[in-house]
């Protein structure tokens, strides 16, 4: 019997995962009040690529191409990016509870985006993504400063992250309550809970490029991440430029988080839970852990979004609420496993 971590088995798992992702996207698009089939979805996509005609009405064509397809693709990209960020943070900090949401990066990005959207900072010269990126960098810088001042260590980084999350969440709430009107407040608060309702092709393209660049940068540094498993001193002894790799990957994490938050709001628990599922399937070597984590995250978020928009139709649930309902029990399981392994 072949081991789960052998190359043929891993290759089969990744191929199966890619097929599952494509099928999940096609099937999720069919969910909704309009009657659509998987065949309709494929025909519409091929028709827009210049291959044949869709054979469906203009209304159904618009539903697939302008509404559901970009939304579902953005869900997949967000899931892949958030899960990847969680895997990177857990590796760098050697803490299974680390992720961009817990460490305050998502909250900081939300604050930056809200300052641009509500307060109009930058006078239109600064985009929502740029504001989110600046907020993410400031938030994480503050968290690391607090952790360093407290003596360092992964546990103090987590505690500082909790403090940073609360601070920037409070700032975001203050800005919204004090400066936004009722309609704007309602829209912003819904978006802050995680919403893919306004997804467009521009969001899909921007986030896809950022996540693709991030995955590439992380894979190029996979051997260094393996070395970090034994600690910073051991990684330096193995020839890893610790400071350079940390700065690069922290920046990549902040960039991905900022881009995704600006498009979909703050979605928690994806980066916390899914890297553990990927480790269970493919092991801890980052050359295979990172793509597996991104793939699992993409499939997961496609179905979370499908549940969010159809479970209580016509009322839509923010995707962040669904990920929290799923993630909190999984988080509890991780905590119990950590206790048993001590």
């Amino acid at each position: 019997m072949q081991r789960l971590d052998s190359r043929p088995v891993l290759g089969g798992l990744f191929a199966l995962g890619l097929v599952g992702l494509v099928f999940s996207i096609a099937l999720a698009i069919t969910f909704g009040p309009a009657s659509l089939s998987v065949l309709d979805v494929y025909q519409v996509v091929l028709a827009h690529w210049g291959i044949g005609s869709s054979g469906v009405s203009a209304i159904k064509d618009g539903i697939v191409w302008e509404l559901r397809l970009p939304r579902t693709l953005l869900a997949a990209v967000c899931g892949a990016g958030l899960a990847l960020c969680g895997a990177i943070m857990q590796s760098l900090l050697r803490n299974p509870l680390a992720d961009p949401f817990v460490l305050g990066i998502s909250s900081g990005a939300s604050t930056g985006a809200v300052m641009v959207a509500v307060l109009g900072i930058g006078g239109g010269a600064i985009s929502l993504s740029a504001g989110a990126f600046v907020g993410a960098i400031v938030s994480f810088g503050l968290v690391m400063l607090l952790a360093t001042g407290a003596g360092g260590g992964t546990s103090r980084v987590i505690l500082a992250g909790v403090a940073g999350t609360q601070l920037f969440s409070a700032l975001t709430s203050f800005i919204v309550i004090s400066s936004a009107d009722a309609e704007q407040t309602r829209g912003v608060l819904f978006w802050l809970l995680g919403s893919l309702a306004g997804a467009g092709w521009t969001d899909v393209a921007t986030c896809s490029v950022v996540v693709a660049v991030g995955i590439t940068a992380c894979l190029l540094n996979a051997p260094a991440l393996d070395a970090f498993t034994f600690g910073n001193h051991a990684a330096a002894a193995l020839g890893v430029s610790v400071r350079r790799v940390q700065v690069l990957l922290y920046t990549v994490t902040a960039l991905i988080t900022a881009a995704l938050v600006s498009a979909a709001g703050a979605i928690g628990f994806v980066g916390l839970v899914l890297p553990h599922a990927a480790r269970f399937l493919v092991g801890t070597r980052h050359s295979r852990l990172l793509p597996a984590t991104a793939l699992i995250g993409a499939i997961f978020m496609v179905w979370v979004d499908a549940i969010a928009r159809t479970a209580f139709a016509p009322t839509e649930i923010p995707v962040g609420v669904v990920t929290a309902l799923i993630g909190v029990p999984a988080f509890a399981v991780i905590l119990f496993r950590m206790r048993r392994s001590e």
Side-chain angles (χ1 to χ4, degrees), residues 2-18 278-292 295:
Q2 287 181 320
R3 295 173 57 196
L4 184 61
D5 60 352
S6 64
R7 287 189 177 182
V9 174
L10 284 171
L13 283 175
F14 279 114
L16 183 63
L18 288 172
R279 290 188 190 95
F280 177 78
L281 291 174
V282 303
T284 58
R285 289 187 59 182
H286 287 83
S287 58
R288 58 198 183 200
L289 173 64
L290 297 180
L295 188 57

Side-chain angles (χ1 to χ4, degrees), residues 26 28 64 175 206 257 265 267 336:
V64 172
I175 292 170
T206 301
T257 303
I267 302 172
F336 280 118

